Amino acid sequence: MDIKDNYSPGLEGIPATQSSISNMDGKQGALFYRGYPIEELARYSTFEEVIFLLLSGELPTAKNLTSFITKIKKSYFIPYYVQQVMEGLPKSGSSMAALQTGVSSLGVSSNNYSVYDLQYNEAFEIAIKIIGSIPTIAALWDRATRGQDFTPPRSDLSVAQNFLYMLHGKVPDSHISKILDICLILHAEHTINASTFATLVTGSTLANPYSVISAAIGTLSGPLHGGANEQVIKMLTEIGSPKNVTPWLDTQLQKKQKIWGFGHRIYKVKDPRAKILQDLIAQLIDQKEDKVSQILEIAFTLEQEMADRMGHKNIYPNVDFYSGILYTELGIPTTQFTPLFAIARSAGWLAHWLEQRSDNRIFRPTQIYIGNSLQSYTPLDKR
């Protein structure tokens, strides 16, 4: 068989690894972490428990979870030199570029160990340290860009509570922090997506784990991956009003332009995470005893219009369509949407990093050459 017969642009559908961490059913719209349905984890679990599940492969006992959470909370407190690095960056810079820099700098003092000699327990501890540090780095940068002093983390708060506290300078309402906690669970893992693949490729070289996660953050920063929910808000703002949805959509479809927040490579029905996020938005509206915002009205109208026109093509809302809307309702700045994604997905990235270490092989794909055939070199003075 000719190598060209195996060519799949973007490696779509090509198995690149084996994993026991998560799986999904695109036809049924189902997602599982270690075999547990995402709906059950979102309803009954916490982000900290899900981190443990993803990293270790099993749900923790009460004793194990308490010890695990204590370690995460210790990791909230980053070295002072990392704070200096972040505060020294141009404040007009990208939030994801800053986060990537922060994580890389976090690993500078950890380069004195050999990844070859790193034992599983040591790797597990490093994973906890990275996961616990990312929210602090993200919040530190947000405060710096707004000209505000850094709000140090508090060890008595959960990951979700602590991020909102560092962001806004006050302890959030328990209902608000629970909603964010569920959002973190929904974004914690999603099989071999682009950023997870970057984790595997970089990790396969036995690079420093901080460099591994830095590579994943860089991959996530692209609008076709982590930045999509930010594009959704821009799109809905551009539409401006529910009455503008129909003519706007007519124009977009006619021009074959992308409708942000719709469609998925795997799911052929509505993304199960989008369903949960939509329910959370409804709960938030009830809790705030508030009318539906115009952004939400536009979103609901657009979803209905898309269902009528594109449902037959299995194009439905994905997780990005409602996550940005929900974050906006929670008062989270648009610039923090993708860093928040990284806070959650760091759990999945590091679970894959730990898993890969047990049976590692460096990635070395091949290519199909489409360049010139053999040519003779012409000296510069004869060209």
Side-chain angles (χ1 to χ4, degrees), residues 76-292:
Y76 290 169
F77 301 91
I78 60 175
Y80 182 62
Y81 78 84
V82 176
Q83 180 179 341
Q84 290 180 305
V85 168
M86 298 296 292
E87 292 177 342
L89 296 173
K91 303 307 179 289
S92 59
S94 157
S95 295
M96 287 298 281
L99 182 62
Q100 190 176 31
T101 300
V103 172
S104 293
S105 65
L106 190 65
V108 170
S109 64
S110 303
N111 278 325
N112 56 355
Y113 61 77
S114 169
V115 179
Y116 281 102
D117 300 329
L118 197 62
Q119 299 300 306
Y120 178 82
N121 288 342
E122 294 175 301
F124 195 91
E125 295 296 318
I126 291 172
I128 296 172
K129 181 178 180 180
I130 295 174
I131 293 170
S133 299
I134 290 178
T136 304
I137 295 172
L140 188 162
W141 175 252
D142 180 76
R143 300 280 291 188
T145 58
R146 289 186 281 146
Q148 299 175 342
D149 292 336
F150 171 49
T151 302
R154 280 179 41 172
S155 59
D156 60 325
L157 301 177
S158 70
V159 172
Q161 289 174 321
N162 197 53
F163 179 68
L164 291 172
Y165 167 71
M166 290 187 293
L167 209 62
H168 301 309
K170 61 180 181 179
V171 178
D173 175 88
S174 60
H175 184 75
I176 297 298
S177 58
K178 179 57 181 175
I179 287 177
L180 183 59
D181 188 80
I182 294 173
C183 290
L184 294 175
I185 291 172
L186 298 179
H187 286 85
E189 164 64 6
H190 207 239
T191 72
I192 309 301
N193 49 78
S195 57
T196 301
F197 186 58
T199 298
L200 296 176
V201 172
T202 310
S204 75
T205 70
L206 297 185
N208 183 297
Y210 297 92
S211 297
V212 171
I213 299 308
S214 178
I217 291 172
T219 307
L220 185 68
S221 67
L224 293 182
H225 191 10
N229 56 6
E230 187 174 340
Q231 295 298 325
V232 168
I233 296 300
K234 291 180 181 179
M235 175 184 72
L236 297 175
T237 302
E238 176 190 320
I239 294 172
S241 169
K243 68 180 182 180
N244 295 336
V245 168
T246 299
W248 180 88
L249 186 57
D250 286 340
T251 300
Q252 293 298 104
L253 294 178
Q254 185 178 6
K255 293 181 178 180
K256 296 183 179 181
Q257 295 294 309
K258 184 175 182 62
I259 312 299
W260 292 98
F262 285 86
H264 197 278
R265 285 281 187 92
I266 305 297
Y267 296 122
K268 304 308 176 185
V269 294
K270 191 170 182 176
D271 189 327
R273 299 167 299 171
K275 292 179 181 179
I276 297 171
L277 287 171
Q278 196 168 3
D279 289 342
L280 290 176
I281 289 172
Q283 292 176 28
L284 185 61
I285 292 171
D286 289 342
Q287 192 264 342
K288 293 171 67 175
E289 296 182 351
D290 200 3
K291 292 182 179 180
V292 175

